[in-house]
Coordinates of all heavy atoms in Angstrom, one line a residue:
M24 N 0.8 -1.2 0.0 CA 0.0 0.0 0.0 C 0.9 1.3 0.0 O 0.6 2.2 -0.7 CB -0.9 0.0 1.2 CG -1.9 1.1 1.2 SD -3.0 1.1 2.6 CE -4.0 -0.3 2.3
L25 N 1.9 1.3 0.8 CA 2.8 2.4 0.9 C 4.2 1.9 0.8 O 4.5 0.7 1.2 CB 2.7 3.2 2.2 CG 1.3 3.8 2.4 CD1 1.2 4.4 3.8 CD2 1.1 5.0 1.4
Q26 N 5.1 2.7 0.4 CA 6.5 2.3 0.3 C 7.3 3.4 1.0 O 7.1 4.6 0.8 CB 6.9 2.2 -1.2 CG 8.4 1.9 -1.3 CD 8.7 1.7 -2.8 OE1 7.9 1.4 -3.6 NE2 10.0 1.9 -3.2
S27 N 8.3 3.0 1.8 CA 9.1 4.0 2.5 C 10.5 4.0 1.9 O 10.9 3.1 1.1 CB 9.2 3.7 4.0 OG 10.0 2.6 4.2
D28 N 11.3 5.0 2.4 CA 12.7 5.0 2.1 C 13.4 3.9 2.9 O 12.8 3.3 3.8 CB 13.3 6.3 2.4 CG 12.8 7.4 1.5 OD1 12.5 7.1 0.3 OD2 12.6 8.6 2.0
R29 N 14.6 3.7 2.7 CA 15.4 2.8 3.5 C 15.9 3.6 4.7 O 16.1 4.8 4.7 CB 16.7 2.3 2.8 CG 16.3 1.3 1.7 CD 17.6 0.9 1.0 NE 17.2 -0.1 -0.1 CZ 17.5 -1.4 0.0 NH1 18.2 -1.9 1.0 NH2 17.2 -2.2 -1.0
Y30 N 16.0 2.9 5.8 CA 16.5 3.5 7.1 C 17.8 2.9 7.5 O 18.0 1.7 7.3 CB 15.4 3.3 8.2 CG 14.1 4.1 7.9 CD1 13.1 3.5 7.2 CD2 14.0 5.4 8.2 CE1 12.0 4.3 6.8 CE2 12.9 6.2 7.9 CZ 11.9 5.6 7.2 OH 10.8 6.3 6.9
P31 N 18.6 3.6 8.2 CA 19.9 3.1 8.5 C 19.9 2.0 9.6 O 20.8 1.2 9.7 CB 20.7 4.3 9.0 CG 19.6 5.3 9.4 CD 18.5 5.0 8.5
C32 N 18.8 2.0 10.4 CA 18.7 1.0 11.5 C 17.3 0.8 11.8 O 16.4 1.6 11.4 CB 19.5 1.4 12.7 SG 18.9 2.9 13.5
R33 N 17.0 -0.3 12.5 CA 15.6 -0.6 12.9 C 15.0 0.5 13.8 O 13.8 0.8 13.6 CB 15.6 -1.9 13.6 CG 14.2 -2.4 14.0 CD 14.2 -3.8 14.5 NE 12.9 -4.2 14.8 CZ 12.1 -4.9 13.9 NH1 12.5 -5.2 12.7 NH2 10.9 -5.2 14.3
D34 N 15.8 1.1 14.7 CA 15.2 2.1 15.5 C 14.7 3.3 14.7 O 13.6 3.9 15.0 CB 16.3 2.6 16.5 CG 16.6 1.6 17.6 OD1 15.8 0.7 17.8 OD2 17.6 1.8 18.3
S35 N 15.4 3.7 13.6 CA 14.9 4.8 12.8 C 13.7 4.4 12.0 O 12.7 5.2 11.9 CB 16.0 5.1 11.7 OG 17.2 5.6 12.3
A36 N 13.6 3.2 11.6 CA 12.4 2.7 10.9 C 11.2 2.6 11.9 O 10.1 3.1 11.5 CB 12.6 1.3 10.3
E37 N 11.4 2.2 13.1 CA 10.4 2.1 14.1 C 9.9 3.5 14.5 O 8.7 3.8 14.6 CB 10.9 1.4 15.4 CG 11.1 -0.1 15.2 CD 9.8 -0.9 15.0 OE1 8.7 -0.4 15.4 OE2 9.9 -2.0 14.5
A38 N 10.8 4.5 14.5 CA 10.4 5.9 14.8 C 9.6 6.5 13.7 O 8.5 7.1 14.0 CB 11.7 6.7 15.1
A39 N 9.9 6.2 12.5 CA 9.1 6.7 11.3 C 7.8 6.0 11.3 O 6.8 6.7 11.0 CB 9.9 6.4 10.0
L40 N 7.7 4.7 11.6 CA 6.4 4.0 11.7 C 5.6 4.6 12.8 O 4.4 4.8 12.6 CB 6.7 2.5 11.9 CG 5.5 1.7 11.8 CD1 4.7 1.8 10.5 CD2 5.9 0.2 12.0
G41 N 6.1 4.9 13.9 CA 5.4 5.5 15.0 C 4.8 6.9 14.6 O 3.7 7.2 15.0
L42 N 5.6 7.7 13.9 CA 5.1 9.0 13.5 C 4.0 8.8 12.5 O 2.9 9.5 12.6 CB 6.3 9.8 12.9 CG 6.0 11.2 12.4 CD1 5.6 12.1 13.6 CD2 7.2 11.8 11.7
F43 N 4.1 7.9 11.6 CA 3.0 7.6 10.6 C 1.8 7.2 11.4 O 0.7 7.7 11.1 CB 3.5 6.5 9.7 CG 2.4 6.0 8.8 CD1 1.9 6.7 7.8 CD2 1.8 4.7 9.1 CE1 0.8 6.2 7.0 CE2 0.8 4.2 8.3 CZ 0.3 5.0 7.3
R44 N 1.9 6.2 12.3 CA 0.7 5.7 13.0 C 0.0 6.8 13.8 O -1.2 6.8 14.0 CB 1.1 4.6 13.9 CG 1.3 3.3 13.2 CD 1.6 2.1 14.1 NE 1.6 0.9 13.4 CZ 2.3 -0.2 13.7 NH1 3.1 -0.1 14.8 NH2 2.3 -1.3 13.0
A45 N 0.8 7.7 14.3 CA 0.2 8.8 15.2 C -0.6 9.7 14.3 O -1.5 10.4 14.9 CB 1.4 9.6 15.9
H46 N -0.4 9.8 13.0 CA -1.1 10.8 12.2 C -1.9 10.3 11.1 O -2.8 11.0 10.6 CB -0.1 11.8 11.6 CG 0.7 12.6 12.7 ND1 0.1 13.5 13.4 CD2 2.0 12.5 13.1 CE1 1.0 14.0 14.3 NE2 2.1 13.4 14.1
C47 N -1.8 9.0 10.8 CA -2.5 8.5 9.6 C -4.0 8.3 9.8 O -4.7 8.3 8.8 CB -1.9 7.1 9.2 SG -2.2 5.8 10.3
A48 N -4.5 8.2 11.0 CA -5.9 8.1 11.2 C -6.7 9.4 11.2 O -7.9 9.4 11.3 CB -6.2 7.3 12.5
S49 N -6.0 10.5 10.9 CA -6.7 11.8 10.9 C -6.8 12.3 9.5 O -5.8 12.8 8.9 CB -5.8 12.8 11.7 OG -5.7 12.3 13.1
P50 N -8.0 12.2 8.9 CA -8.1 12.6 7.5 C -7.7 14.1 7.2 O -7.2 14.4 6.1 CB -9.6 12.5 7.2 CG -10.1 11.4 8.2 CD -9.2 11.7 9.4
E51 N -7.7 14.9 8.2 CA -7.3 16.3 8.0 C -5.8 16.5 7.8 O -5.3 17.5 7.4 CB -7.8 17.2 9.1 CG -7.1 17.0 10.5 CD -7.8 15.8 11.3 OE1 -8.7 15.2 10.8 OE2 -7.3 15.7 12.4
R52 N -5.1 15.4 8.1 CA -3.6 15.4 7.9 C -3.2 15.2 6.4 O -2.0 15.3 6.1 CB -2.9 14.4 8.8 CG -3.2 14.6 10.2 CD -2.1 15.4 10.9 NE -2.4 15.5 12.3 CZ -1.8 16.4 13.0 NH1 -0.9 17.2 12.5 NH2 -2.0 16.4 14.3
Y53 N -4.2 14.7 5.6 CA -3.9 14.4 4.2 C -4.1 15.7 3.4 O -5.2 16.2 3.3 CB -4.8 13.3 3.7 CG -4.5 12.0 4.4 CD1 -5.0 11.7 5.7 CD2 -3.6 11.0 3.8 CE1 -4.7 10.5 6.3 CE2 -3.3 9.8 4.4 CZ -3.9 9.6 5.7 OH -3.6 8.4 6.3
V54 N -3.1 16.2 2.7 CA -3.2 17.3 1.9 C -3.2 16.9 0.4 O -2.2 16.3 -0.1 CB -2.1 18.3 2.1 CG1 -2.2 19.5 1.2 CG2 -2.0 18.7 3.6
K55 N -4.3 17.1 -0.3 CA -4.5 16.7 -1.7 C -3.8 17.7 -2.6 O -4.0 18.9 -2.4 CB -5.9 16.5 -2.0 CG -6.6 15.4 -1.2 CD -8.1 15.3 -1.6 CE -8.8 14.3 -0.8 NZ -10.3 14.3 -1.1
K56 N -3.1 17.2 -3.6 CA -2.4 18.0 -4.5 C -2.7 17.5 -5.9 O -3.1 16.4 -6.1 CB -0.9 18.0 -4.3 CG -0.5 18.5 -2.9 CD -0.5 20.0 -2.9 CE 0.1 20.5 -1.6 NZ 0.3 21.9 -1.6
I57 N -2.3 18.3 -6.9 CA -2.3 17.9 -8.3 C -0.9 18.0 -8.9 O -0.3 19.1 -8.7 CB -3.3 18.7 -9.2 CG1 -4.7 18.6 -8.6 CG2 -3.3 18.3 -10.6 CD1 -5.4 17.2 -8.7
S58 N -0.4 17.0 -9.5 CA 1.0 17.0 -10.1 C 1.0 18.0 -11.3 O 0.0 18.3 -11.9 CB 1.4 15.6 -10.5 OG 0.7 15.2 -11.6
S59 N 2.2 18.3 -11.8 CA 2.3 19.1 -13.0 C 1.7 18.4 -14.2 O 1.3 19.1 -15.1 CB 3.8 19.5 -13.2 OG 4.5 18.3 -13.4
G60 N 1.6 17.1 -14.1 CA 1.0 16.3 -15.2 C -0.5 16.2 -15.1 O -1.1 15.5 -15.9
G61 N -1.1 16.8 -14.0 CA -2.5 16.7 -13.9 C -3.0 15.6 -13.1 O -4.3 15.4 -13.0
K62 N -2.2 14.8 -12.4 CA -2.6 13.6 -11.7 C -2.7 13.9 -10.2 O -1.8 14.6 -9.7 CB -1.7 12.4 -11.9 CG -1.8 11.9 -13.3 CD -1.4 10.5 -13.4 CE -1.6 10.0 -14.9 NZ -2.2 8.7 -14.9
P63 N -3.7 13.5 -9.5 CA -3.8 13.7 -8.1 C -2.8 12.9 -7.2 O -2.5 11.8 -7.6 CB -5.3 13.4 -7.7 CG -5.7 12.5 -8.8 CD -4.9 12.8 -10.0
F64 N -2.4 13.5 -6.1 CA -1.6 12.8 -5.1 C -1.8 13.4 -3.8 O -2.6 14.4 -3.7 CB -0.1 12.8 -5.5 CG 0.6 14.1 -5.4 CD1 1.4 14.4 -4.3 CD2 0.4 15.0 -6.4 CE1 2.0 15.6 -4.3 CE2 1.1 16.3 -6.4 CZ 1.9 16.6 -5.3
F65 N -1.3 12.9 -2.7 CA -1.4 13.5 -1.4 C -0.1 13.5 -0.7 O 0.8 12.8 -0.9 CB -2.5 12.8 -0.6 CG -2.2 11.4 -0.1 CD1 -1.4 11.2 1.0 CD2 -2.6 10.3 -0.8 CE1 -1.1 9.9 1.4 CE2 -2.3 9.0 -0.4 CZ -1.6 8.8 0.7
K66 N -0.1 14.4 0.3 CA 1.0 14.5 1.3 C 0.4 14.3 2.7 O -0.7 14.8 3.0 CB 1.7 15.8 1.3 CG 2.4 16.1 0.0 CD 3.1 17.5 0.0 CE 3.9 17.7 -1.3 NZ 4.6 19.0 -1.2
L67 N 1.0 13.4 3.5 CA 0.5 13.2 4.8 C 1.5 14.1 5.7 O 2.7 13.9 5.6 CB 0.6 11.7 5.2 CG 0.3 11.4 6.7 CD1 -1.1 11.8 7.0 CD2 0.5 9.9 7.0
K68 N 0.9 14.9 6.5 CA 1.7 15.9 7.2 C 1.5 15.8 8.7 O 0.4 15.4 9.2 CB 1.3 17.3 6.8 CG 1.6 17.6 5.3 CD 1.3 19.0 4.9 CE 2.5 19.8 5.2 NZ 2.3 21.2 4.8
S69 N 2.5 16.1 9.5 CA 2.5 16.2 10.9 C 2.9 17.7 11.2 O 4.1 18.1 11.1 CB 3.6 15.3 11.5 OG 3.8 15.6 12.9
G70 N 1.9 18.5 11.4 CA 2.2 19.9 11.5 C 2.6 20.4 10.1 O 2.0 20.2 9.1
K71 N 3.8 21.0 10.0 CA 4.4 21.5 8.8 C 5.3 20.4 8.1 O 5.7 20.5 7.0 CB 5.2 22.8 9.0 CG 4.3 23.9 9.3 CD 5.0 25.2 9.4 CE 4.1 26.3 9.8 NZ 4.7 27.6 9.7
E72 N 5.6 19.4 8.9 CA 6.5 18.3 8.4 C 5.7 17.3 7.5 O 4.7 16.8 7.9 CB 7.1 17.5 9.5 CG 8.0 16.4 9.1 CD 8.5 15.6 10.3 OE1 8.2 15.9 11.4 OE2 9.3 14.6 10.0
V73 N 6.3 17.0 6.3 CA 5.7 16.0 5.4 C 6.2 14.7 5.8 O 7.4 14.4 5.8 CB 6.0 16.3 3.9 CG1 5.5 15.2 3.0 CG2 5.4 17.7 3.5
I74 N 5.3 13.8 6.2 CA 5.7 12.4 6.6 C 5.9 11.5 5.4 O 6.8 10.7 5.3 CB 4.6 11.8 7.6 CG1 4.5 12.6 8.8 CG2 4.9 10.4 7.9 CD1 3.3 12.3 9.7
L75 N 5.0 11.7 4.4 CA 5.1 10.9 3.2 C 4.4 11.6 2.1 O 3.5 12.4 2.3 CB 4.6 9.4 3.4 CG 3.1 9.2 3.6 CD1 2.3 9.1 2.3 CD2 3.0 7.9 4.3
V76 N 4.8 11.2 0.9 CA 4.2 11.7 -0.4 C 3.7 10.5 -1.1 O 4.5 9.5 -1.3 CB 5.1 12.5 -1.2 CG1 4.5 13.0 -2.5 CG2 5.7 13.7 -0.5
S77 N 2.5 10.5 -1.6 CA 1.9 9.3 -2.2 C 2.4 9.2 -3.7 O 3.0 10.1 -4.2 CB 0.4 9.4 -2.2 OG -0.1 10.3 -3.2
H78 N 2.0 8.1 -4.2 CA 2.1 7.9 -5.7 C 1.1 8.7 -6.4 O 0.2 9.3 -5.8 CB 1.9 6.4 -6.0 CG 2.8 5.4 -5.4 ND1 4.1 5.2 -5.8 CD2 2.6 4.6 -4.3 CE1 4.6 4.3 -5.0 NE2 3.8 4.0 -4.1
L79 N 1.2 8.9 -7.7 CA 0.2 9.6 -8.5 C -0.9 8.6 -8.7 O -0.8 7.4 -9.0 CB 0.8 10.0 -9.8 CG 2.0 11.0 -9.7 CD1 2.5 11.4 -11.1 CD2 1.6 12.3 -8.9
Y80 N -2.1 9.2 -8.7 CA -3.4 8.4 -8.9 C -4.0 8.8 -10.2 O -3.8 9.9 -10.7 CB -4.3 8.6 -7.8 CG -3.8 7.9 -6.5 CD1 -3.0 8.7 -5.6 CD2 -4.0 6.6 -6.2 CE1 -2.5 8.1 -4.5 CE2 -3.5 6.0 -5.1 CZ -2.7 6.8 -4.2 OH -2.2 6.2 -3.1
D81 N -4.8 7.9 -10.8 CA -5.5 8.2 -12.1 C -6.7 9.1 -11.9 O -7.2 9.7 -12.9 CB -5.9 6.9 -12.8 CG -4.7 6.2 -13.3 OD1 -3.7 6.8 -13.6 OD2 -4.8 4.9 -13.3
S82 N -7.3 9.2 -10.7 CA -8.5 10.0 -10.5 C -8.6 10.4 -9.0 O -7.9 9.8 -8.2 CB -9.7 9.2 -10.9 OG -10.0 8.1 -9.9
E83 N -9.4 11.4 -8.8 CA -9.7 11.9 -7.4 C -10.3 10.8 -6.6 O -10.1 10.6 -5.4 CB -10.5 13.1 -7.5 CG -10.8 13.7 -6.1 CD -9.9 14.8 -5.7 OE1 -9.1 15.3 -6.6 OE2 -9.8 15.1 -4.5
A84 N -11.2 10.0 -7.3 CA -11.9 8.9 -6.6 C -10.9 7.8 -6.1 O -11.0 7.3 -5.0 CB -13.0 8.3 -7.5
T85 N -10.0 7.5 -6.9 CA -8.9 6.5 -6.5 C -8.1 7.1 -5.4 O -7.7 6.3 -4.5 CB -8.1 6.2 -7.7 OG1 -8.9 5.7 -8.8 CG2 -7.1 5.1 -7.4
L86 N -7.7 8.3 -5.5 CA -7.0 9.0 -4.4 C -7.8 8.9 -3.1 O -7.2 8.5 -2.0 CB -6.7 10.4 -4.8 CG -6.1 11.3 -3.7 CD1 -4.6 11.1 -3.6 CD2 -6.4 12.8 -3.9
D87 N -9.1 9.3 -3.1 CA -9.9 9.2 -1.9 C -10.0 7.8 -1.4 O -10.0 7.6 -0.1 CB -11.3 9.8 -2.2 CG -11.3 11.3 -2.4 OD1 -10.3 12.0 -2.0 OD2 -12.2 11.8 -3.1
S88 N -10.1 6.8 -2.2 CA -10.2 5.4 -1.8 C -8.9 5.0 -1.1 O -8.9 4.3 -0.1 CB -10.4 4.6 -3.0 OG -10.5 3.2 -2.7
A89 N -7.7 5.4 -1.7 CA -6.4 5.1 -1.0 C -6.3 5.7 0.3 O -5.9 5.1 1.3 CB -5.3 5.6 -1.9
I90 N -6.7 7.0 0.5 CA -6.7 7.7 1.8 C -7.6 6.9 2.8 O -7.1 6.7 3.9 CB -7.0 9.1 1.7 CG1 -6.0 9.9 0.9 CG2 -7.3 9.8 3.0 CD1 -6.3 11.4 0.6
S91 N -8.7 6.6 2.4 CA -9.7 5.8 3.3 C -9.0 4.5 3.7 O -9.1 4.1 4.9 CB -11.0 5.5 2.6 OG -11.7 6.8 2.4
A92 N -8.4 3.8 2.8 CA -7.8 2.5 3.1 C -6.6 2.7 4.1 O -6.5 1.9 5.1 CB -7.3 1.8 1.9
I93 N -5.8 3.8 3.9 CA -4.7 4.0 4.8 C -5.2 4.4 6.2 O -4.7 4.0 7.2 CB -3.8 5.1 4.2 CG1 -3.1 4.6 2.9 CG2 -2.7 5.6 5.2 CD1 -2.5 5.6 2.1
V94 N -6.2 5.3 6.2 CA -6.8 5.7 7.5 C -7.3 4.5 8.3 O -7.1 4.3 9.5 CB -8.0 6.7 7.3 CG1 -8.8 6.9 8.6 CG2 -7.4 8.0 6.8
G95 N -7.9 3.5 7.6 CA -8.4 2.3 8.2 C -7.4 1.3 8.6 O -7.5 0.7 9.6
A96 N -6.3 1.2 7.8 CA -5.3 0.1 8.1 C -4.1 0.6 8.8 O -3.4 -0.1 9.4 CB -4.9 -0.5 6.8
G97 N -3.9 1.9 8.8 CA -2.7 2.5 9.4 C -2.4 2.3 10.8 O -1.3 2.4 11.3
T98 N -3.4 2.1 11.6 CA -3.2 2.0 13.0 C -3.2 0.5 13.5 O -3.2 0.3 14.7 CB -4.3 2.7 13.8 OG1 -5.6 2.3 13.4 CG2 -4.2 4.2 13.5
T99 N -3.2 -0.4 12.6 CA -3.2 -1.8 13.0 C -1.8 -2.2 13.4 O -0.8 -1.5 13.1 CB -3.6 -2.8 11.8 OG1 -2.7 -2.7 10.8 CG2 -5.0 -2.4 11.3
D100 N -1.6 -3.3 14.1 CA -0.3 -3.8 14.5 C 0.4 -4.6 13.4 O 1.6 -4.9 13.5 CB -0.4 -4.7 15.7 CG -0.8 -3.9 17.0 OD1 -0.5 -2.6 17.0 OD2 -1.4 -4.4 17.9
R101 N -0.3 -4.8 12.3 CA 0.3 -5.6 11.3 C 1.2 -4.8 10.4 O 0.7 -3.8 9.8 CB -0.8 -6.2 10.4 CG -0.3 -7.2 9.3 CD -1.4 -7.8 8.6 NE -0.8 -8.7 7.6 CZ -1.4 -8.9 6.4 NH1 -2.5 -8.4 6.2 NH2 -0.8 -9.7 5.6
V102 N 2.4 -5.2 10.3 CA 3.4 -4.5 9.4 C 4.1 -5.6 8.7 O 4.6 -6.6 9.2 CB 4.4 -3.7 10.3 CG1 5.5 -3.1 9.4 CG2 3.7 -2.6 11.1
E103 N 4.2 -5.4 7.4 CA 4.9 -6.4 6.5 C 6.2 -5.7 6.1 O 6.2 -4.6 5.6 CB 4.0 -6.7 5.3 CG 2.8 -7.6 5.7 CD 2.0 -8.1 4.5 OE1 2.6 -8.2 3.4 OE2 0.9 -8.3 4.7
H104 N 7.2 -6.5 6.2 CA 8.5 -6.0 5.8 C 8.9 -6.8 4.5 O 8.9 -8.0 4.4 CB 9.6 -6.4 6.8 CG 11.0 -6.1 6.4 ND1 11.6 -4.9 6.6 CD2 11.9 -6.9 5.7 CE1 12.8 -5.0 6.1 NE2 13.0 -6.1 5.5
V105 N 9.1 -6.0 3.4 CA 9.5 -6.6 2.2 C 10.8 -5.9 1.8 O 10.9 -4.7 1.6 CB 8.4 -6.3 1.1 CG1 8.9 -6.9 -0.3 CG2 7.1 -6.9 1.5
Q106 N 11.8 -6.7 1.7 CA 13.1 -6.2 1.3 C 13.3 -6.3 -0.2 O 13.1 -7.3 -0.8 CB 14.2 -6.9 2.0 CG 15.6 -6.2 1.8 CD 16.6 -6.8 2.7 OE1 16.4 -7.7 3.5 NE2 17.8 -6.3 2.7
L107 N 13.6 -5.1 -0.9 CA 13.7 -5.1 -2.3 C 15.2 -5.2 -2.7 O 16.1 -4.9 -2.0 CB 13.2 -3.8 -2.9 CG 11.7 -3.6 -2.6 CD1 11.2 -2.3 -3.1 CD2 10.9 -4.7 -3.2

């Protein structure tokens, strides 16, 4: 659903995940934008700090659906680690 950057250590990754979890369930933290190519995306913010920037979506409806899914799933204890 989301992809993060690489972190230098587990503690850094856990801190980033904690920040995400603290803010992801609040729809007002999602700032919707339109890319220069006309595709919608969002930024999840903690105050003025941007926590993450989404992928580009094909429509506003798809963007809204993604935000709803993240709001619903973001506070669960389930985290999957996939190493690329």
Side-chain angles (χ1 to χ4, degrees):
M24 186 178 292
L25 296 171
Q26 179 179 336
S27 72
D28 293 327
R29 290 181 179 249
Y30 292 92
C32 65
R33 184 172 182 91
D34 288 344
S35 297
E37 292 288 340
L40 186 56
L42 185 62
F43 169 76
R44 283 185 172 150
H46 298 289
C47 70
S49 301
E51 68 275 5
R52 302 266 185 197
Y53 294 82
V54 179
K55 297 177 185 179
K56 301 280 190 175
I57 300 293
S58 72
S59 60
K62 295 207 176 220
F64 70 100
F65 68 83
K66 294 180 179 184
L67 177 60
K68 296 182 88 176
S69 167
K71 293 185 180 188
E72 178 185 1
V73 175
I74 298 171
L75 66 85
V76 178
S77 75
H78 300 283
L79 299 178
Y80 293 91
D81 290 329
S82 69
E83 183 93 16
T85 306
L86 172 81
D87 290 338
S88 178
I90 291 172
S91 292
I93 293 166
V94 167
T98 57
T99 66
D100 289 334
R101 183 175 180 213
V102 176
E103 290 186 25
H104 172 92
V105 178
Q106 188 168 3
L107 301 175

